[in-house]
């Protein structure tokens, strides 16, 4: 009888010892005010095609806020707040806001982040200027000879075409893989 009780006690002890311990409460990760957050774009945003309200995501990269590895692979979700496509004498604009940060462990928060630096790229306008100068030269040459009976029309047309095209602004892009550095404007606990 005593052997059976001993075996039962050992079995109970084995079950208690082998059962998983209660998981400790997950630690709250804090994004402190003033902290810098670096992230890369997961897709391209372009002032020529983006729409206000368009959603996008970014991936947090090192150096991580306060060297905390909990931010490794975190995702930022945002939306476009303002877009102005480039035009004749009109500069392009592309503005956005970050709505949420999500850590790999599922913790989330709604930070207020302001852009400190970003890798935007201005589109190249050289081809447009060259094509417009050529078109201006051809039209100017034709008008100069047909209407004014002059050979100066081609040169005048080329200059006019180049000036017109150089006043046409080009769009800006925040391309996939471009890095953006933000600064947190308030402390946020991610849960």
């Amino acid at each position: 009888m005593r052997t059976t009780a001993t075996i039962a006690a050992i079995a109970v002890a084995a079950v208690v010892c082998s059962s998983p311990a209660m998981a400790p409460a997950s630690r709250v990760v804090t994004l402190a005010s003033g902290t810098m957050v670096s992230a890369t774009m997961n897709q391209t945003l372009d002032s020529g095609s983006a729409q206000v309200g368009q959603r996008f995501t970014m991936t947090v990269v090192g150096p991580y806020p306060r060297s905390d590895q909990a931010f490794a692979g975190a995702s930022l979700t945002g939306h476009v707040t303002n877009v102005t496509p480039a035009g004749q004498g009109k500069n392009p604009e592309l503005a956005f806001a970050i709505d949420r940060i999500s850590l790999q462990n599922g913790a989330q928060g709604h930070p207020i982040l302001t852009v400190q630096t970003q890798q935007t790229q201005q589109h190249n306008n050289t081809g447009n200027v060259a094509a417009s100068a050529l078109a201006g030269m051809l039209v100017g040459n034709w008008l100069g000879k047909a209407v004014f009976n002059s050979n100066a029309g081609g040169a005048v047309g080329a200059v006019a075409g180049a000036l017109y095209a150089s006043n046409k602004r080009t769009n800006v892009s925040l391309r996939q893989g471009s890095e953006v550095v933000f600064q947190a404007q308030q402390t946020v606990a991610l849960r």
Side-chain angles (χ1 to χ4, degrees), residues 138-166:
L138 294 174
V139 170
N141 194 32
W142 175 76
L143 279 174
K145 287 182 179 179
V147 177
F148 300 109
N149 211 13
S150 168
N151 289 332
V156 171
V159 170
L163 288 173
Y164 175 81
S166 65

Side-chain angles (χ1 to χ4, degrees), residues 27 29-39 60-74 76 101 103 113 182-184 190:
R27 87 177 163 98
V29 177
T30 302
L31 180 60
S33 177
T35 302
M36 304 305 268
V37 178
S38 298
V60 175
V61 296
Y64 301 115
R66 296 189 173 178
S67 300
D68 189 341
Q69 291 299 311
F71 288 96
L76 298 177
I101 184 169
L103 303 182
L113 301 175
F182 299 95
Q183 184 175 29
L190 309 177

Side-chain angles (χ1 to χ4, degrees), residues 17-164:
C17 289
S18 66
S19 67
M22 288 186 51
S26 61
R27 87 177 163 98
V28 175
V29 177
T30 302
L31 180 60
S33 177
T35 302
M36 304 305 268
V37 178
S38 298
T40 56
M41 292 294 297
N42 293 334
Q43 61 279 307
T44 297
L45 292 178
D46 188 281
S47 64
S49 59
Q51 301 293 319
V52 171
Q54 180 178 338
R55 312 285 301 160
F56 64 90
T57 61
M58 303 176 83
T59 301
V60 175
V61 296
Y64 301 115
R66 296 189 173 178
S67 300
D68 189 341
Q69 291 299 311
F71 288 96
S75 175
L76 298 177
T77 305
H79 70 281
V80 175
T81 59
N82 187 28
V83 178
T84 303
Q88 188 66 34
K90 184 170 66 169
N91 290 326
E93 288 183 42
L94 181 61
F96 56 90
I98 300 300
D99 303 315
R100 182 178 64 236
I101 184 169
S102 303
L103 303 182
Q104 293 286 336
N105 68 5
Q108 297 184 17
H110 301 281
I112 297 175
L113 301 175
T114 57
V115 174
Q116 299 302 301
T117 62
Q118 60 186 351
Q119 292 176 335
T120 53
Q121 296 179 340
Q122 189 82 27
H123 294 207
N124 191 337
N125 197 23
T126 305
N128 188 28
V129 171
S132 295
L134 178 61
M137 182 181 76
L138 294 174
V139 170
N141 194 32
W142 175 76
L143 279 174
K145 287 182 179 179
V147 177
F148 300 109
N149 211 13
S150 168
N151 289 332
V156 171
V159 170
L163 288 173
Y164 175 81

